[in-house]
Amino acid sequence: EADIYQTPRYLVIGTGKKITLECSQTMGHDKMYWYQQDPGMELHLIHYSYGVNSTEKGDLSSESTVSRIRTEHFPLTLESARPSHTSQYLCASSERQAGEDNEQFFGPGTRLTVL
Amino acid sequence: GENVEQHPSTLSVQEGDSAVIKCTYSDSASNYFPWYKQELGKRPQLIIDIRSNVGEKKDQRIAVTLNKTAKHFSLHITETQPEDSAVYFCAARASGYSTLTFGKGTMLLVSP
């Protein structure tokens, strides 16, 4: 079934650790996004990608980095996690048809807690 | 860049009542306006969207209206049910841009 997958779903780590949040989509979409969201609160765009080898920073300053080596895979990395990084991270994807961007589909999210 | 304001931040209604959530946007070039519903602990999901070439769109109990002159759009939910309880986000995107700008969300509580 076409979907967006995120792993892990929950992660508790200590300060200073390096972590990678995985996002994969089987929807064949060219565009992918990472959002940071405290539960039920505003969605903050932190990174996005138009396609392979394309990455852009979003509106919210973030100490994370992303890569897009394969169309279906868009991992997010924190080199040194801090308690301020505690949040939910949502991955999303969309495709462009006939010159128009279509619906963004969201993954289930990764709930990160940094102690 | 685009700025989207959303009101109210919380809305409590009785089952069967109507609910209206309003958003304003700043960029007159914006032409795509989706609404997302996020239930507790779940991912946001698109419930309805509208493009700037139409003024209103309906899907069963939900409808969206768009006023391009005033740069505002609204979500209308009729005959609300407890399962409508969720956080609702409006968003806007200008043609040629790849990203959505979201409002801060409205928590809708429907009491039985």
Side-chain angles (χ1 to χ4, degrees):
Chain A
E1 179 182 344
D3 204 349
I4 302 177
Y5 302 92
Q6 290 187 242
T7 57
R9 294 293 312 281
Y10 302 91
L11 180 61
V12 180
I13 60 167
T15 297
K17 298 291 186 183
K18 177 181 178 179
I19 60 167
T20 296
L21 308 185
E22 301 288 348
C23 175
S24 294
Q25 50 99 0
T26 56
M27 309 185 79
H29 290 168
D30 52 354
K31 296 183 177 177
M32 298 188 74
Y33 314 82
W34 275 104
Y35 292 87
Q36 184 176 339
Q37 183 192 36
D38 291 328
M41 302 295 284
E42 187 174 3
L43 290 152
H44 296 284
L45 180 67
I46 51 176
H47 296 284
Y48 60 101
S49 167
Y50 294 111
V52 171
N53 294 325
S54 157
T55 61
E56 304 285 344
K57 288 188 179 294
D59 304 321
L60 181 68
S61 175
S62 173
E63 294 161 341
S64 58
T65 58
V66 292
S67 63
R68 189 88 184 274
I69 299 173
R70 303 198 319 262
T71 299
E72 64 274 17
H73 194 214
F74 191 40
L76 181 145
T77 298
L78 278 168
E79 291 292 333
S80 181
R82 295 207 302 267
S84 61
H85 295 137
T86 295
S87 190
Q88 175 166 254
Y89 293 83
L90 289 164
C91 182
S93 71
S94 67
E95 68 173 345
R96 194 171 178 87
Q97 286 181 334
E100 293 287 345
D101 287 313
N102 290 318
E103 175 183 355
Q104 271 190 27
F105 292 86
F106 285 86
T110 293
R111 185 74 58 86
L112 173 65
T113 302
V114 184
L115 303 176
Chain B
E2 177 67 278
N3 182 49
V4 176
E5 300 281 340
Q6 183 172 348
H7 299 280
S9 57
T10 60
L11 179 59
S12 294
V13 300
Q14 293 288 318
E15 182 176 1
D17 288 349
S18 294
V20 180
I21 303 170
K22 299 181 179 181
C23 289
T24 60
Y25 60 98
S26 61
D27 189 346
S28 57
S30 288
N31 65 356
Y32 176 63
F33 308 93
W35 286 88
Y36 284 82
K37 175 184 180 182
Q38 187 176 26
E39 297 177 14
L40 186 64
K42 301 286 183 65
R43 68 185 83 181
Q45 290 191 304
L46 181 75
I47 54 171
I48 195 167
D49 58 9
I50 191 168
R51 298 187 188 271
S52 59
N53 56 348
V54 298
E56 183 175 359
K57 185 176 179 180
K58 292 185 70 174
D59 183 3
Q60 299 183 346
R61 295 187 297 108
I62 61 173
V64 57
T65 58
L66 172 64
N67 183 326
K68 288 188 294 182
T69 303
K71 290 190 285 189
H72 68 71
F73 56 111
S74 300
L75 178 71
H76 305 255
I77 306 174
T78 59
E79 300 173 27
T80 54
Q81 301 167 1
E83 51 265 39
D84 293 329
S85 296
V87 179
Y88 291 80
F89 294 95
C90 65
R93 179 170 58 211
S95 177
Y97 288 88
S98 182
T99 63
L100 290 170
T101 299
F102 284 88
K104 292 186 176 182
T106 296
M107 179 176 289
L108 173 64
L109 299 171
V110 181
S111 302

